Amino acid sequence: MTTRQGANAARNGGLRNDATMFGGGSTGSEFGDYEAEKERCKAFLRTFSVGQEAREAGQKRQRRGAAAAASAGSARLKYMDMLQEVANRARTVLEISLDDVLSLSSLVQGDYDYEETWDDDHAPGHDEWSRLAKAAKKNTQRYLSLFADAADEVMPLPTSAFEGTEDVFDVLMRQRQYAEEDNEQLRATYGLSASETAAQQAGTGGEGSQPQAPAPVADSANRIPKELLRRYEVRIRPPTGGAGLGLGSAKARMSSAVPLREVKAASIGQLVTVRGIATKVSEVKPLLSVGTYTCESCGYEIYQEITGTAYMPLCECPSGRCKINNDAGKLLFQTRGSKFVKFQEIKLQEPADEVPVGNIPRTMTVHLKGELCRSIRPGDAVAVAGGFLPV
């Protein structure tokens, strides 16, 4: 039986407990300034360097009396290099390690007990980086989107030509971006919402008003979702910590795993790590991520973002033009214009050493998406990290 550790299912794979239906877990700061958090994520992506990580690790080992110090080496921007590969279409996964975030914090650099001070925000050693790592662990889904938005904004330009010719996705994206630019120009020109602009076009200016020139409708219903424009997926690898174990080590990953039967409602929305044995692995199937529809009446392209495994297809066009014309607007689903991701479902059973005497082993459903598919086989003993979500 093989062991595969650290199969990160955050964002591109979730942990779902069939028995957990109610309850609310801690989600970090309830009234957090997410714009400021996104700027902090951008700063981390721009400035984190491998040389800096090595120097800090070496200083920490020196303080602990280690014989050999890590060589500083030349600093290399780890995540900007990853984003450059993404821009050059040589990489499809951007994995954010919370160990890297914590390596910038005085909580790890100083002589503090990591395990004792992690849960105490007011303990000595806590700073913006340790709070960022903790918030990302407590509110995983939100920080996945924040890191994805930050990566979009700091994405460098391609430095090499793409291999092969343009695919269908490139042609559709170019056409959609042209339409989006026209849409934004209309919004900036008229300074009106979709309904107000449509009313102006229909000539409903009120009694005694002068006829106004028709204005094209700039509708937000056909705004392109960011998920549709991305050619990469974002993951968050949980912090391993562990005094004396070393950040990122395999032993630390296994030691940070929570017994499967201890994952309860308080963990909803958080990044958790569990150990178990894969008892059932489904076939890889396509999962709709963004659905695209075309309206027969107004010709608009309507987008529907899907966050789960089930959804209700749109039936009526939500654009302002169809509402003003009192037209239902029949929508036609565009398969080639939609975005699908690979999807696989795993049944994870708790290991025998975690089952109390006289109890039946519990199971958990694990959803793998994207490049994580086919990373687990039936019978594998695995440690899986992902966002714990109710079904």
Side-chain angles (χ1 to χ4, degrees), residues 87-336:
N88 295 338
R89 300 189 184 178
R91 174 186 289 269
T92 58
V93 177
L94 176 64
E95 185 173 82
I96 309 296
S97 174
L98 295 187
D99 282 338
D100 291 342
V101 180
L102 282 172
S103 68
L104 304 177
S105 171
S106 57
L107 180 65
V108 174
Q109 296 179 24
D111 297 324
Y112 301 105
D113 192 327
Y114 169 86
E115 294 178 338
E116 290 185 1
T117 57
W118 169 259
D119 293 325
D120 187 1
D121 288 333
H122 303 288
H126 270 292
D127 52 20
E128 59 176 353
W129 299 115
S130 62
R131 293 188 181 93
L132 175 62
K134 183 177 179 180
K137 188 175 184 297
K138 296 288 186 180
N139 194 3
T140 307
Q141 293 299 116
R142 168 69 70 175
Y143 278 84
L144 277 168
S145 63
L146 289 177
F147 272 112
D149 293 342
D152 289 339
E153 295 183 16
V154 302
M155 183 75 66
L157 296 175
T159 57
S160 62
F162 306 138
E163 296 182 0
T165 58
E166 287 186 333
D167 54 14
V168 177
F169 185 82
D170 291 320
V171 177
L172 290 175
M173 284 301 102
R174 184 165 59 247
Q175 180 182 358
R176 288 164 174 167
Q177 287 176 341
Y178 289 155
E180 180 70 14
E181 291 174 1
D182 295 340
N183 210 358
E184 293 294 340
Q185 185 176 1
L186 290 174
R187 293 190 187 95
T189 301
Y190 294 99
L192 300 174
S193 64
S195 58
E196 291 172 337
T197 312
Q200 183 183 18
Q201 184 181 18
T204 57
E207 184 178 355
S209 61
Q210 297 295 329
Q212 301 181 11
V217 179
D219 203 323
S220 60
N222 65 335
R223 179 171 295 180
I224 304 176
K226 295 179 181 179
E227 183 66 25
L228 191 60
L229 299 175
R230 295 184 183 124
R231 283 181 172 266
Y232 64 97
E233 57 193 54
V234 180
R235 303 177 192 165
I236 293 181
R237 180 178 288 274
T240 53
L245 297 178
L247 292 175
S249 66
K251 186 178 179 182
R253 284 198 298 269
M254 293 299 291
S255 66
S256 63
V258 179
L260 192 147
R261 62 178 55 236
E262 291 185 9
V263 180
K264 302 183 184 298
S267 302
I268 291 178
Q270 299 184 16
L271 186 61
V272 298
T273 304
V274 296
R275 292 193 305 120
I277 300 174
T279 58
K280 183 179 179 181
V281 179
S282 70
E283 295 292 333
V284 177
K285 305 174 183 178
L287 180 67
L288 183 63
S289 177
V290 179
T292 303
Y293 305 83
T294 302
C295 179
E296 285 187 335
S297 300
C298 65
Y300 275 11
E301 213 173 39
I302 308 299
Y303 306 100
Q304 181 184 16
E305 294 190 74
I306 313 299
T307 57
T309 57
Y311 72 101
M312 178 64 69
L314 299 178
C315 299
E316 296 183 359
C317 180
S319 67
R321 181 173 296 178
C322 283
K323 291 180 180 178
I324 293 299
N325 295 334
N326 198 20
D327 188 354
K330 182 180 179 181
L331 294 178
L332 302 177
F333 184 76
Q334 302 294 331
T335 304
R336 299 188 69 182

